[in-house]
Amino acid sequence: MKKPSIAVILSGCGYLDGAEIHEATLTLWAIHKHGADFQCYAPDIDQHHVVNHITGKEMNERRNVLIESARIARGKVLDLTKFKADNHEALVLPGGFGAAKNLSTYAFDGAECAVNTDVKKAILAMVAQKKPIGALCIAPVALAHILPGINITIGQDRGTAENVEKMGAHHTATSHGEIVIDRKNRIITTPCYMLDARVDQIGEGAERLIGALIEMIGS
Amino acid sequence: MKKPSIAVILSGCGYLDGAEIHEATLTLWAIHKHGADFQCYAPDIDQHHVVNHITGKEMNERRNVLIESARIARGKVLDLTKFKADNHEALVLPGGFGAAKNLSTYAFDGAECAVNTDVKKAILAMVAQKKPIGALCIAPVALAHILPGINITIGQDRGTAENVEKMGAHHTATSHGEIVIDRKNRIITTPCYMLDARVDQIGEGAERLIGALIEMIGS
């Protein structure tokens, strides 16, 4: 039997300006652990900015989201414009500020945010084929923006939860390693580093999310 | 009881010019999973070079090993000159070309390589206190250079194994997820991406290595 192929959209490499590295890595780890395969994608655009992860300050540099994402994907990452829903059984968006700065403008515009055109296209194409979507950490805000009425979690942060509700989604508070499954809309979310977490708790959340996603593929 | 503290030396962020991201992340994950704590370190030096991880070609950029390592460590990384063996129960070196380009010159000089002064100091300080050291992937070559007669694995690559023996170490071939334990010298190694591996196999190797390391702390 062919292994299910799960598409993973990355947003750079490093939680302050790109994809959260532990969430992204543990998503790929969980996909392999569950016997599935992955294909990483990222938009071929400049990062919003580059942040020194020690000081938290902006650096005077430019980096490309697709090229930096390749660090996490060990080179095997495709331009998101090449995404075809036909080639995948599910889609996952790991978190990190990259999801809120490069894939969407959530970090700047909150509930009024815009979502990158190709990210939006990929999400809508999966929804049209009734294929499940998972999102970790802050990445669910992009889903909330595009898919009204879905039930998601971003952990326990009140401001973010309020924004999610403003965008028309329902928010369920969760703790470490927990997932929220919206069976009707085929969306699964988990809070990860939206909580102050240990790395093994990120692994728990990613593993549970991917497990539920793969179960949903077959149902 | 105080959790054991394991020092982790990173070498950048991305396998072609820095630390291998999956190996580093899954090392941190395994440390937390086994109930221990970690402190990341990296040398405050320029990377040997910056590589585009899609094309494999050098980019006309400069990046700092300590600052890039902070992406994997989520900001919590110390300059390696601050390393004190007294503060830690064990030391781990994840792999990636950074271990062979930034922490040592193995990628260029093979068996004749030099090891970064502060990396060498940290390793010797742990050895002097009989504290165990773990190394993944290509990182064992730095140990082979410094500690004659140790028994290590770098997987199955014949050229690397020959170089390791030239440096005076003993090499044991291994497959996915296997570890080599040198009880006398308190060294544990595992091949990870020295083999063509899936991400869950990296997790297996890291988890087994960290488990054996923590067992060794108490013995």
Side-chain angles (χ1 to χ4, degrees), chain A residues 3 13 17 20-22 25 29 32 36-37 51 53-54 63 68 70-72 74-75 193 198-200, chain B residues 3 13 17 20-22 25 29 32 36-37 51 53-54 63 68 70-72 74-75 193 198-200:
Chain A
K3 289 174 182 163
C13 179
D17 56 19
E20 207 298 313
I21 289 174
H22 303 175
T25 298
W29 164 79
H32 274 172
D37 275 331
V51 176
H53 279 58
I54 297 177
R63 297 190 188 180
E68 296 309 313
R71 294 177 175 272
I72 295 174
R74 292 174 55 85
Y193 280 122
R198 284 169 67 87
V199 186
D200 57 334
Chain B
K3 289 175 183 164
C13 179
D17 57 19
E20 208 298 313
I21 289 174
H22 304 173
T25 298
W29 164 79
H32 275 172
D37 275 332
V51 177
H53 279 59
I54 298 177
R63 296 190 188 179
E68 296 309 315
R71 294 177 175 272
I72 294 175
R74 292 175 53 85
Y193 280 122
R198 282 168 67 87
V199 186
D200 57 335

Side-chain angles (χ1 to χ4, degrees), chain B residues 62-193:
Chain B
R62 286 173 70 178
R63 296 190 188 179
N64 175 285
V65 174
L66 179 58
I67 293 172
E68 296 309 315
S69 295
R71 294 177 175 272
I72 294 175
R74 292 175 53 85
K76 288 172 194 152
V77 61
L78 295 175
D79 183 339
L80 188 54
T81 58
K82 298 209 168 69
F83 179 89
K84 284 198 176 66
D86 288 346
N87 296 339
H88 304 292
E89 278 69 46
L91 171 66
V92 183
L93 292 93
F97 275 105
K101 291 177 176 176
N102 303 325
L103 303 187
S104 74
T105 63
Y106 181 81
F108 317 108
D109 304 326
E112 317 296 322
C113 69
V115 175
N116 171 283
T117 312
D118 293 313
V119 173
K120 193 171 174 177
K121 268 192 204 166
I123 291 169
L124 290 175
M126 294 303 276
V127 169
Q129 297 197 11
K130 297 193 183 351
K131 289 176 173 173
I133 301 173
L136 291 70
C137 185
I138 191 65
V141 298
L143 302 181
H145 179 80
I146 295 170
L147 308 170
I150 57 172
N151 183 21
I152 57 174
T153 187
I154 51 77
Q156 300 171 7
D157 182 67
R158 192 170 293 182
T160 314
E162 281 173 9
N163 277 336
V164 157
E165 300 256 347
K166 265 191 219 161
M167 290 193 267
H170 306 289
H171 183 258
T172 303
T174 47
S175 188
H176 297 293
E178 292 181 349
I179 59 173
V180 166
I181 306 182
D182 178 339
R183 289 198 189 280
K184 186 174 152 249
N185 295 296
R186 300 172 80 75
I187 303 289
I188 307 174
T189 48
T190 190
C192 290
Y193 280 122

